[in-house]
Amino acid sequence: MSLPFNKQRSRRLRKKMRVGEFQELGFEYELKLKQTLTPEQEEALMDRLLNELILPRNLAASGWVSEGFVMAYLRGSATEDDRQATQAWLAAQPEVAEATVSALKDAWYVEH
């Protein structure tokens, strides 16, 4: 969904729409695995990701093993530190051959 961001909106509406000063940022991740994982191995990797990185940093994640999106839990933005920590954590996992983490981007709207 793309919105005309040059339109004048009230502060309340900008907050509700998460635009302007209320924009929220997150980042994508993509993994290349060393080998195909069983469903149990995938679940174990995702459990570690959630318990060791996502929850302690008060983040939320969508997606699964091969790709996903990370943003702040509830309101706010993921930080550059969160992005770098995610890159380092993913790259350090024994199942992962290559981990790519995008730059911070709008968590609610696709930029064209």
Side-chain angles (χ1 to χ4, degrees):
M1 177 176 169
S2 183
L3 297 173
F5 288 103
N6 58 355
K7 184 176 177 184
Q8 292 287 354
R9 293 188 172 87
S10 69
R11 183 177 196 283
R12 180 191 65 76
L13 191 53
R14 289 191 311 272
K15 183 175 182 180
K16 184 176 183 176
M17 294 177 67
R18 295 175 165 98
V19 298
E21 69 269 37
F22 301 103
Q23 180 185 39
E24 296 178 358
L25 303 175
F27 54 88
E28 295 172 309
Y29 70 85
E30 187 173 338
L31 300 179
K32 291 185 180 162
L33 301 172
K34 292 179 180 174
Q35 62 188 34
T36 302
L37 301 179
T38 66
E40 293 79 16
Q41 290 170 320
E42 286 184 356
E43 190 169 336
L45 177 58
M46 293 308 294
D47 283 346
R48 289 196 324 266
L49 174 65
L50 290 173
N51 292 319
E52 296 175 14
L53 183 81
I54 300 298
L55 295 176
R57 288 181 163 270
N58 203 30
L59 299 172
S62 64
W64 195 240
V65 172
S66 60
E67 61 186 355
F69 193 85
V70 177
M71 60 185 287
Y73 181 69
L74 296 179
R75 286 271 185 186
S77 292
T79 65
E80 181 61 26
D81 185 53
D82 293 328
R83 195 189 74 73
Q84 291 176 4
T86 301
Q87 171 72 46
W89 190 92
L90 291 170
Q93 300 313 299
E95 303 91 340
V96 176
E98 183 181 335
T100 305
V101 176
S102 74
L104 292 171
K105 58 171 73 179
D106 193 305
W108 292 96
Y109 300 102
V110 176
E111 297 172 14
H112 296 285

